[in-house]
Amino acid sequence: MSVPVSPAAGEDALGYARGYAPGRTLPLRVEIVRQFRRRRTLAMFALLLALPWVLVVAFQFGPGSNGGNSLRLSDLATAGGLNFAAFALSVSASFLLVVAVALFCGDTVASEASWSSLRYLLAAPIPRDRLLRQKLIVALGYSAAAVTVLPLMALLAGTLAFGWHDIRVPGTGEIIAATDVLPKFALVIGYALVSQLVVASLAFLLSVSTDSPLGAVGGAVGLVIVSSILQAVEALGSFREFLPTFWNTAWLDALSPQPDYSGMIKGVSVSVTYSVILIAFAFRRFRRKDVVS
Amino acid sequence: MTFPGGRRALTAVVALVLVVVGCLAWALWPSGKPVRGQDTAISVVDGPADDQRVTLDATFFPPATGGKAPAVLLAHGFGGSKQSVRDLAVRLAGRGYAVLTWSARGFGRSTGEIALNSPDYEVKDVRQLVDWLAKRPEVRLDGAGDPRVGIAGGSYGGAIALMTAAYDSRIDAIAPEITWNDLADALFPDAGGNGPINGVFKKMWAGIFFSSGGSGLAPDGGLDAQGLAGLSGPSGPAQALTPQQVQCGRFLPAICDMYQTVASTGRATPEAINLLRRSSPSSVPDKIRIPTLLIQGQRDSLFPLGHADANARQIAATGAPVEVAWINGGHDGGDNEPDWVFDRTADWFDRWLKNGPGSTATGTGTSANAGAGTGTGTGTGTASTRTAGAAAGAAAFTVSRDGGRDPGTRQTVLVHATANGYPGLSGTTRTTVRLSGPEQQIANPPGGSPASISSVPGFGSLLRSGGGLGVSLDIPGQAAAFESAPLTAPAHVTGSPTVQVKVYGTGEATLFAKLYDSSGGPVAVLPSSLVAPFRVTATEEGTPVTVTLPAIDRTFDAGHRMRVVISATDLGFSTPATPAVYRIGLASPELTVPADPALVTPATGPAWWTWALPLAATLAAAVLVLTRRARPARSTADRPDLADVPLVITGLGKRYSNGEKAVDDLSFRVERGQVLGLLGPNGAGKTTTMRMLMGLILPDEGEIRIFGHPVVPGAPVLSRLGSFVEGPGFLPHLSGRANLELYWQATGRPAEDAHLEEALEIAGLGAALERAVRTYSQGMRQRLAIAQAMLGLPDLLVLDEPTNGLDPPQIAEMRKVLKAYAQGGRTVIVSSHLLGEVEQTCSHVVVMHRGRLVSEGPVDGLLGASASSNGSGHRLEDVFLDLIGESR
């Protein structure tokens, strides 16, 4: 240790430290770097990128095709890259992507609290609203990357393994030209993103409310599980339409020969509704919260 | 660690669970008081000579609403009994009707023999049931012996509704479902238009129909759209049966004999046709004059849509109001939409029995007075029918269509397209589609086997896969196909298309026409699995015949082809056993396709909530966010006079969530250049004060000012504060250097102001700086945290127990650092419970105990005052213990 002798940075006209501006605190780039080098971030992306290849290998090993008579999505997976990507998305959207999104959004504030670094960020000072905003943007960005990277890698893996063919529609076996489907595929990924917003925002709210990152992630995943169970109860009738996960598979409608977007529109509506409220609660809560961790 | 937020979150979760459980309970809780049926046996007398005594097993359900209510007779399907319609009866009674169900003669526990809804038998029975109803106190009367009554039922039960309406003018409204207009035509259809005498015997359906009645032991459920599934139930007690009974079961011998004859020859006889027609509404063309709701199934190869069409035309011709609905299901399976059918039927009765004509004795004009129940049952003008229809919001023609799939369950959903008028099977518009194909030779195999398959009666619902694909199979060599070019635009077909073909050859040919929807894929779809059989005498020059194809409602997509197939065999029908070869060609290349553009599906546009919910949520979110802005300090104004005072605390107070005060009325002031020791035992409120100083927790009362600015969460003036409170906080996966660099970048201030190297010097970590923080010892983290607090060389440095975890040389070094730091005009606040530490480091001291200020001032002054007061020593420890009121 030695003694610091430099003069202080001094204050500006307002009486704040020189060069300090609330709007410049916690730049997105800094938050991205802070999160990126975490093991769980890297492990999650490695898993998402590897999964399509694992599926490809699994399909190679499996018993030969059943003659192409079956028209289920899983049996059509080997019909081409697009079919494979649709299959990969359908099998992962219900749980793997949920976990990924819950991880990125549920961990972000709670882990800072558990490391005690949150109080130093707040005392830097980063205004609380800004801290939440920047963290939310970065967490959603990582979530979006996770949801996007899987179908894209599946498209690549599927195309390399099974070739670039037009898509065969499950159920009727109709063929749609690949060039027609590609823009729809972008729409599907976009919808998958929006439908994960509920998970993201709930995880974020829990992240703000607890010091335990696992609690926040688990809570959000738990919600998805409970909602999926409830939506299987047909006695609930149209109540189910308002369950956050009810419309999660509506994107399949976009890939049919006569795309029907009404389910997706409802899904977006429900998803946005829940997310906006949950995120508003997160901000409201964090603003006045006593940070004691 | 418990904190108030945790308990609130728990409360919220519990509340949410309670709300969900409440909603579930509310949605699932059985409502209304139970309706109790009264079983009764009603003796009736029937037969051509009114000399046969039959006991009908009946159940009467009084209206749940009490009082006098309109009555509904609920008839069961073939093979069923009164038990089959019990649930429906309960629901109807719950809606305020007196409901009577009964087992028809020859079914269930009723005596007598099946006479196929003959006017001499079943119709007479039902008329006496109406008499019985007229005597019930619960039933509303239109006149003496004339109850207000409607009849509903499916299949066999639908036919008795129509037949009774024709023979009894006291009936006020009927709602027959999936039933026949002409039983002869249903069993011997001829799509060539030459009537049942020329018809092709529908052998499988006829067999099922007669055997289910013939067994005499039919289980509940019957033939109303359940097919064989309803016939395979357990048999009743074994009885010794006579050969006659074995053959005819509970059929009337005359009917049994008729069936034996036609089934063996496969041809209708005039006697058989007469007998079947006696039991058919077609035999009473102008006698049904009351409001009629006809519900027919699109998947019904037994009583196809044409029967409802004939009934509708016949009844509408009398001027009575008629509405037609084509549901998805039928005798071949599919979705029979029981809930929709119930609602539609109940609405129909509500309209014509409850609010209907009889209630207005004047009965002129306003609404229809059809079936006014005064014994005439006269009809009314169609104009008033429309008025009534419009008033009730129902449509004259409803078609159930595929509405895509439910995104949640992936099940197909149905939508109901409606039109204001029923156009009949030839549609409101007709277009022609050009077919092409050469003349083709087809063979009738010897024995008629193997046969093409369109639908298998009774097994329809089993064979049909979910996606609406029928199992249809044409045997190569037995079928001729004619195809259109791919459609340029989607073509909607509602009704019966017609095609003209020529049949070359010799002798009588039995042929089957079907219209496929071919997408070019592996399987062409046969809509509703329906075929049109026709019989024609082939000639060498070709016999032209106009074939009316099955009535369907279907959209042929653009790019698809319409394919007409003429086949020589069909599994469901009786075909000649003699081998033969015919040539089939098109007499006209034009396929006439009917449509009804007036049929519109109710707007399936986004439900109102798809835009309302997000909007409401956004509003709610705005309210949530805006109504709880960070609480402003009591006096938000800066105090320029204090701009040079690093810290002023005034009247500060903070309670724990349990109400105990952590800090109570704390006031002190720190000047530039001071090293202030914040001294107190554990729990004195030092750390809480420091947290408030950093804006991490909000004071309950009082205020803190740093350089004149009030401290609130995130106050910009905190940028002049460096802090280390309650241990270090680093990202464990990053190195020490990366942690400090990223922390500084997070403040958004220029990198050159950080004085990173000087801070790292203080930390003294050497090469360890490049290792991940998770590998550090407690002391290394502590030093790194102090270095982080000094980044940017803040004007006010707050350190909480900075020497914890340091070894003695490092502690000595730290003292020097802090003293030197304050000499440049900066201020340092050090909290500690180590008295010696404060004594050696600090110039000033603030002593706290139990949240309150006990003493403040220069260390020297405090020592001096203490020495003069009790003379016991000059050590701060003594002074301190004195101050907090504990002696050694």
Side-chain angles (χ1 to χ4, degrees), chain B residues 145-174:
Chain B
D146 176 10
R148 176 70 63 83
V149 62
I151 312 181
S155 198
Y156 191 64
I160 194 63
L162 286 159
M163 294 304 290
T164 311
Y167 285 95
D168 192 330
S169 58
R170 293 173 298 176
I171 312 298
D172 298 299
I174 51 173

mmCIF file of all heavy atoms in Angstrom, chain B residues 145-174:
data_model
loop_
_atom_site.group_PDB
_atom_site.id
_atom_site.type_symbol
_atom_site.label_atom_id
_atom_site.label_comp_id
_atom_site.label_asym_id
_atom_site.label_seq_id
_atom_site.Cartn_x
_atom_site.Cartn_y
_atom_site.Cartn_z
ATOM 1 N N GLY B 145 -107.212 -29.421 -23.103
ATOM 2 C CA GLY B 145 -106.614 -30.598 -23.734
ATOM 3 C C GLY B 145 -105.522 -30.288 -24.729
ATOM 4 O O GLY B 145 -105.058 -31.161 -25.453
ATOM 5 N N ASP B 146 -105.108 -29.034 -24.772
ATOM 6 C CA ASP B 146 -104.109 -28.635 -25.767
ATOM 7 C C ASP B 146 -102.936 -27.971 -25.062
ATOM 8 O O ASP B 146 -102.943 -26.764 -24.820
ATOM 9 C CB ASP B 146 -104.750 -27.677 -26.773
ATOM 10 C CG ASP B 146 -103.729 -27.155 -27.763
ATOM 11 O OD1 ASP B 146 -102.587 -27.682 -27.792
ATOM 12 O OD2 ASP B 146 -104.058 -26.213 -28.499
ATOM 13 N N PRO B 147 -101.937 -28.745 -24.697
ATOM 14 C CA PRO B 147 -100.780 -28.148 -24.020
ATOM 15 C C PRO B 147 -99.921 -27.364 -25.006
ATOM 16 O O PRO B 147 -99.963 -27.607 -26.220
ATOM 17 C CB PRO B 147 -100.021 -29.360 -23.483
ATOM 18 C CG PRO B 147 -100.373 -30.456 -24.427
ATOM 19 C CD PRO B 147 -101.766 -30.184 -24.932
ATOM 20 N N ARG B 148 -99.156 -26.438 -24.466
ATOM 21 C CA ARG B 148 -98.128 -25.782 -25.264
ATOM 22 C C ARG B 148 -96.955 -26.752 -25.310
ATOM 23 O O ARG B 148 -96.306 -26.991 -24.294
ATOM 24 C CB ARG B 148 -97.713 -24.467 -24.572
ATOM 25 C CG ARG B 148 -96.570 -23.751 -25.263
ATOM 26 C CD ARG B 148 -97.002 -23.182 -26.584
ATOM 27 N NE ARG B 148 -98.032 -22.182 -26.453
ATOM 28 C CZ ARG B 148 -97.790 -20.893 -26.160
ATOM 29 N NH1 ARG B 148 -96.577 -20.485 -25.971
ATOM 30 N NH2 ARG B 148 -98.784 -20.042 -26.065
ATOM 31 N N VAL B 149 -96.674 -27.328 -26.460
ATOM 32 C CA VAL B 149 -95.709 -28.420 -26.464
ATOM 33 C C VAL B 149 -94.864 -28.437 -27.738
ATOM 34 O O VAL B 149 -95.360 -28.130 -28.832
ATOM 35 C CB VAL B 149 -96.431 -29.778 -26.255
ATOM 36 C CG1 VAL B 149 -97.412 -30.057 -27.381
ATOM 37 C CG2 VAL B 149 -95.432 -30.933 -26.141
ATOM 38 N N GLY B 150 -93.612 -28.756 -27.572
ATOM 39 C CA GLY B 150 -92.714 -28.959 -28.699
ATOM 40 C C GLY B 150 -92.130 -30.363 -28.632
ATOM 41 O O GLY B 150 -92.205 -31.021 -27.590
ATOM 42 N N ILE B 151 -91.587 -30.818 -29.742
ATOM 43 C CA ILE B 151 -90.944 -32.140 -29.751
ATOM 44 C C ILE B 151 -89.540 -31.990 -30.316
ATOM 45 O O ILE B 151 -89.332 -31.290 -31.312
ATOM 46 C CB ILE B 151 -91.712 -33.162 -30.616
ATOM 47 C CG1 ILE B 151 -93.212 -33.141 -30.280
ATOM 48 C CG2 ILE B 151 -91.164 -34.568 -30.416
ATOM 49 C CD1 ILE B 151 -94.030 -34.131 -31.081
ATOM 50 N N ALA B 152 -88.591 -32.636 -29.647
ATOM 51 C CA ALA B 152 -87.228 -32.659 -30.165
ATOM 52 C C ALA B 152 -86.716 -34.085 -30.095
ATOM 53 O O ALA B 152 -87.208 -34.890 -29.300
ATOM 54 C CB ALA B 152 -86.332 -31.729 -29.354
ATOM 55 N N GLY B 153 -85.737 -34.383 -30.921
ATOM 56 C CA GLY B 153 -85.151 -35.708 -30.887
ATOM 57 C C GLY B 153 -84.247 -35.891 -32.082
ATOM 58 O O GLY B 153 -84.313 -35.129 -33.048
ATOM 59 N N GLY B 154 -83.375 -36.898 -31.995
ATOM 60 C CA GLY B 154 -82.447 -37.139 -33.083
ATOM 61 C C GLY B 154 -82.751 -38.449 -33.769
ATOM 62 O O GLY B 154 -83.187 -39.414 -33.145
ATOM 63 N N SER B 155 -82.526 -38.476 -35.085
ATOM 64 C CA SER B 155 -82.658 -39.696 -35.873
ATOM 65 C C SER B 155 -84.091 -40.240 -35.797
ATOM 66 O O SER B 155 -85.030 -39.601 -36.228
ATOM 67 C CB SER B 155 -81.620 -40.719 -35.390
ATOM 68 O OG SER B 155 -81.444 -41.716 -36.348
ATOM 69 N N TYR B 156 -84.270 -41.426 -35.203
ATOM 70 C CA TYR B 156 -85.600 -42.027 -35.047
ATOM 71 C C TYR B 156 -86.521 -41.072 -34.278
ATOM 72 O O TYR B 156 -87.699 -40.921 -34.584
ATOM 73 C CB TYR B 156 -85.435 -43.347 -34.291
ATOM 74 C CG TYR B 156 -86.638 -44.251 -34.259
ATOM 75 C CD1 TYR B 156 -87.138 -44.806 -35.435
ATOM 76 C CD2 TYR B 156 -87.259 -44.580 -33.054
ATOM 77 C CE1 TYR B 156 -88.233 -45.665 -35.400
ATOM 78 C CE2 TYR B 156 -88.344 -45.427 -33.009
ATOM 79 C CZ TYR B 156 -88.830 -45.981 -34.186
ATOM 80 O OH TYR B 156 -89.902 -46.818 -34.143
ATOM 81 N N GLY B 157 -85.914 -40.394 -33.276
ATOM 82 C CA GLY B 157 -86.691 -39.447 -32.479
ATOM 83 C C GLY B 157 -87.037 -38.192 -33.253
ATOM 84 O O GLY B 157 -88.050 -37.540 -32.985
ATOM 85 N N GLY B 158 -86.200 -37.844 -34.199
ATOM 86 C CA GLY B 158 -86.504 -36.684 -35.023
ATOM 87 C C GLY B 158 -87.663 -36.968 -35.958
ATOM 88 O O GLY B 158 -88.523 -36.114 -36.212
ATOM 89 N N ALA B 159 -87.703 -38.213 -36.448
ATOM 90 C CA ALA B 159 -88.771 -38.571 -37.370
ATOM 91 C C ALA B 159 -90.120 -38.573 -36.658
ATOM 92 O O ALA B 159 -91.126 -38.129 -37.214
ATOM 93 C CB ALA B 159 -88.490 -39.938 -37.979
ATOM 94 N N ILE B 160 -90.138 -39.034 -35.405
ATOM 95 C CA ILE B 160 -91.430 -39.046 -34.708
ATOM 96 C C ILE B 160 -91.881 -37.611 -34.453
ATOM 97 O O ILE B 160 -93.088 -37.319 -34.436
ATOM 98 C CB ILE B 160 -91.358 -39.877 -33.400
ATOM 99 C CG1 ILE B 160 -92.770 -40.183 -32.873
ATOM 100 C CG2 ILE B 160 -90.598 -39.166 -32.328
ATOM 101 C CD1 ILE B 160 -93.600 -41.025 -33.797
ATOM 102 N N ALA B 161 -90.912 -36.694 -34.262
ATOM 103 C CA ALA B 161 -91.288 -35.290 -34.093
ATOM 104 C C ALA B 161 -92.004 -34.786 -35.343
ATOM 105 O O ALA B 161 -93.066 -34.158 -35.271
ATOM 106 C CB ALA B 161 -90.043 -34.448 -33.818
ATOM 107 N N LEU B 162 -91.411 -35.086 -36.510
ATOM 108 C CA LEU B 162 -92.018 -34.636 -37.765
ATOM 109 C C LEU B 162 -93.379 -35.312 -37.990
ATOM 110 O O LEU B 162 -94.361 -34.666 -38.359
ATOM 111 C CB LEU B 162 -91.074 -34.952 -38.932
ATOM 112 C CG LEU B 162 -89.852 -34.043 -39.036
ATOM 113 C CD1 LEU B 162 -88.757 -34.719 -39.846
ATOM 114 C CD2 LEU B 162 -90.243 -32.716 -39.674
ATOM 115 N N MET B 163 -93.422 -36.625 -37.746
ATOM 116 C CA MET B 163 -94.654 -37.355 -38.022
ATOM 117 C C MET B 163 -95.780 -36.900 -37.098
ATOM 118 O O MET B 163 -96.925 -36.717 -37.518
ATOM 119 C CB MET B 163 -94.419 -38.865 -37.857
ATOM 120 C CG MET B 163 -93.459 -39.464 -38.862
ATOM 121 S SD MET B 163 -93.946 -39.177 -40.553
ATOM 122 C CE MET B 163 -95.390 -40.225 -40.672
ATOM 123 N N THR B 164 -95.456 -36.722 -35.816
ATOM 124 C CA THR B 164 -96.489 -36.293 -34.888
ATOM 125 C C THR B 164 -96.977 -34.897 -35.242
ATOM 126 O O THR B 164 -98.174 -34.598 -35.160
ATOM 127 C CB THR B 164 -95.946 -36.322 -33.445
ATOM 128 O OG1 THR B 164 -95.327 -37.575 -33.220
ATOM 129 C CG2 THR B 164 -97.059 -36.111 -32.444
ATOM 130 N N ALA B 165 -96.024 -34.031 -35.649
ATOM 131 C CA ALA B 165 -96.425 -32.677 -36.039
ATOM 132 C C ALA B 165 -97.414 -32.716 -37.192
ATOM 133 O O ALA B 165 -98.310 -31.874 -37.298
ATOM 134 C CB ALA B 165 -95.207 -31.868 -36.422
ATOM 135 N N ALA B 166 -97.255 -33.735 -38.052
ATOM 136 C CA ALA B 166 -98.161 -33.825 -39.190
ATOM 137 C C ALA B 166 -99.534 -34.320 -38.767
ATOM 138 O O ALA B 166 -100.547 -33.937 -39.356
ATOM 139 C CB ALA B 166 -97.569 -34.765 -40.239
ATOM 140 N N TYR B 167 -99.574 -35.164 -37.752
ATOM 141 C CA TYR B 167 -100.855 -35.795 -37.395
ATOM 142 C C TYR B 167 -101.515 -35.168 -36.180
ATOM 143 O O TYR B 167 -102.621 -35.547 -35.826
ATOM 144 C CB TYR B 167 -100.647 -37.292 -37.159
ATOM 145 C CG TYR B 167 -100.450 -38.063 -38.456
ATOM 146 C CD1 TYR B 167 -99.194 -38.348 -38.950
ATOM 147 C CD2 TYR B 167 -101.567 -38.475 -39.194
ATOM 148 C CE1 TYR B 167 -99.023 -39.025 -40.143
ATOM 149 C CE2 TYR B 167 -101.407 -39.153 -40.381
ATOM 150 C CZ TYR B 167 -100.139 -39.439 -40.864
ATOM 151 O OH TYR B 167 -99.979 -40.098 -42.043
ATOM 152 N N ASP B 168 -100.824 -34.276 -35.479
ATOM 153 C CA ASP B 168 -101.429 -33.696 -34.279
ATOM 154 C C ASP B 168 -101.240 -32.187 -34.313
ATOM 155 O O ASP B 168 -100.122 -31.689 -34.213
ATOM 156 C CB ASP B 168 -100.782 -34.285 -33.026
ATOM 157 C CG ASP B 168 -101.567 -33.932 -31.764
ATOM 158 O OD1 ASP B 168 -102.193 -32.854 -31.749
ATOM 159 O OD2 ASP B 168 -101.555 -34.736 -30.818
ATOM 160 N N SER B 169 -102.321 -31.470 -34.442
ATOM 161 C CA SER B 169 -102.219 -30.026 -34.603
ATOM 162 C C SER B 169 -101.914 -29.327 -33.291
ATOM 163 O O SER B 169 -101.749 -28.111 -33.264
ATOM 164 C CB SER B 169 -103.521 -29.483 -35.184
ATOM 165 O OG SER B 169 -104.572 -29.837 -34.315
ATOM 166 N N ARG B 170 -101.867 -30.072 -32.186
ATOM 167 C CA ARG B 170 -101.579 -29.406 -30.914
ATOM 168 C C ARG B 170 -100.085 -29.125 -30.737
ATOM 169 O O ARG B 170 -99.697 -28.393 -29.840
ATOM 170 C CB ARG B 170 -102.065 -30.279 -29.752
ATOM 171 C CG ARG B 170 -103.571 -30.415 -29.698
ATOM 172 C CD ARG B 170 -103.980 -31.407 -28.649
ATOM 173 N NE ARG B 170 -103.460 -32.740 -28.936
ATOM 174 C CZ ARG B 170 -103.609 -33.782 -28.121
ATOM 175 N NH1 ARG B 170 -104.234 -33.645 -26.979
ATOM 176 N NH2 ARG B 170 -103.112 -34.954 -28.446
ATOM 177 N N ILE B 171 -99.266 -29.751 -31.559
ATOM 178 C CA ILE B 171 -97.818 -29.520 -31.433
ATOM 179 C C ILE B 171 -97.515 -28.113 -31.934
ATOM 180 O O ILE B 171 -98.010 -27.687 -32.978
ATOM 181 C CB ILE B 171 -97.025 -30.544 -32.263
ATOM 182 C CG1 ILE B 171 -97.530 -31.971 -32.007
ATOM 183 C CG2 ILE B 171 -95.539 -30.443 -31.971
ATOM 184 C CD1 ILE B 171 -97.393 -32.443 -30.589
ATOM 185 N N ASP B 172 -96.677 -27.369 -31.166
ATOM 186 C CA ASP B 172 -96.462 -25.959 -31.478
ATOM 187 C C ASP B 172 -95.128 -25.691 -32.159
ATOM 188 O O ASP B 172 -94.980 -24.679 -32.836
ATOM 189 C CB ASP B 172 -96.549 -25.140 -30.187
ATOM 190 C CG ASP B 172 -97.928 -25.261 -29.560
ATOM 191 O OD1 ASP B 172 -98.896 -24.873 -30.216
ATOM 192 O OD2 ASP B 172 -98.023 -25.779 -28.427
ATOM 193 N N ALA B 173 -94.143 -26.529 -31.942
ATOM 194 C CA ALA B 173 -92.835 -26.320 -32.591
ATOM 195 C C ALA B 173 -92.059 -27.621 -32.487
ATOM 196 O O ALA B 173 -92.243 -28.383 -31.530
ATOM 197 C CB ALA B 173 -92.058 -25.192 -31.909
ATOM 198 N N ILE B 174 -91.207 -27.883 -33.468
ATOM 199 C CA ILE B 174 -90.394 -29.096 -33.399
ATOM 200 C C ILE B 174 -88.944 -28.770 -33.776
ATOM 201 O O ILE B 174 -88.673 -27.786 -34.470
ATOM 202 C CB ILE B 174 -90.917 -30.225 -34.318
ATOM 203 C CG1 ILE B 174 -91.144 -29.703 -35.739
ATOM 204 C CG2 ILE B 174 -92.189 -30.828 -33.757
ATOM 205 C CD1 ILE B 174 -91.506 -30.797 -36.732
#
